[in-house]
Amino acid sequence: MHASNLLCHEFVVAVSFVACILGLGLLWNCPDTKHDDQQETEIILFRMSFTYWLVYCVAFGLEKMVFHNYEPLIMTLKITTALSYFLTFSCILSLPLHKFAVHRVEE
């Protein structure tokens, strides 16, 4: 049962890796928003979210592929996955907070 959950998680991480690359590609080709600070901030937050999650996916994949007897590299990858996971969460949390703050300023 534990092995099937791990394979499912690895599959979800692999699919989200591809989705992050597609999302970054779509965000890179978005129209020019140099005059609209609110929209530019949202695009930057989305780019940061996708980039941090991409780092998580790469670190998670390397952690699973690297030999388990090389402990310093495994520990570095675990720290990287944890930091990128929390940075992704903070960027995703910042999106609605930014919209709320801009909405409050407009009122």
Side-chain angles (χ1 to χ4, degrees):
M1 184 68 178
H2 180 66
S4 66
N5 287 340
L6 185 62
L7 286 176
C8 183
H9 179 69
E10 290 174 353
F11 177 74
V12 169
V13 170
V15 169
S16 68
F17 174 79
V18 174
C20 283
I21 293 173
L22 291 174
L24 282 172
L26 289 173
L27 284 173
W28 225 263
N29 296 327
C30 64
D32 189 25
T33 60
K34 295 293 182 198
H35 301 294
D36 188 10
D37 289 339
Q38 175 188 0
Q39 191 173 10
E40 185 159 353
T41 303
E42 290 176 11
I43 289 173
I44 289 170
L45 283 171
F46 271 119
R47 284 181 185 164
M48 288 170 56
S49 299
F50 282 127
T51 304
Y52 288 141
W53 190 252
L54 194 63
V55 169
Y56 172 82
C57 294
V58 169
F60 179 80
L62 286 174
E63 185 182 335
K64 296 300 174 191
M65 289 189 295
V66 170
F67 299 123
H68 293 287
N69 58 359
Y70 194 60
E71 193 63 33
L73 184 60
I74 295 294
M75 188 56 67
T76 303
L77 289 171
K78 285 183 180 186
I79 291 170
T80 303
T81 54
L83 286 175
S84 61
Y85 189 85
F86 290 126
L87 285 169
T88 304
F89 177 75
S90 67
C91 286
I92 291 172
L93 187 63
S94 297
L95 277 166
L97 292 174
H98 172 71
K99 282 188 176 258
F100 181 73
V102 169
H103 181 70
R104 293 283 269 181
V105 169
E106 289 176 357
E107 288 179 352

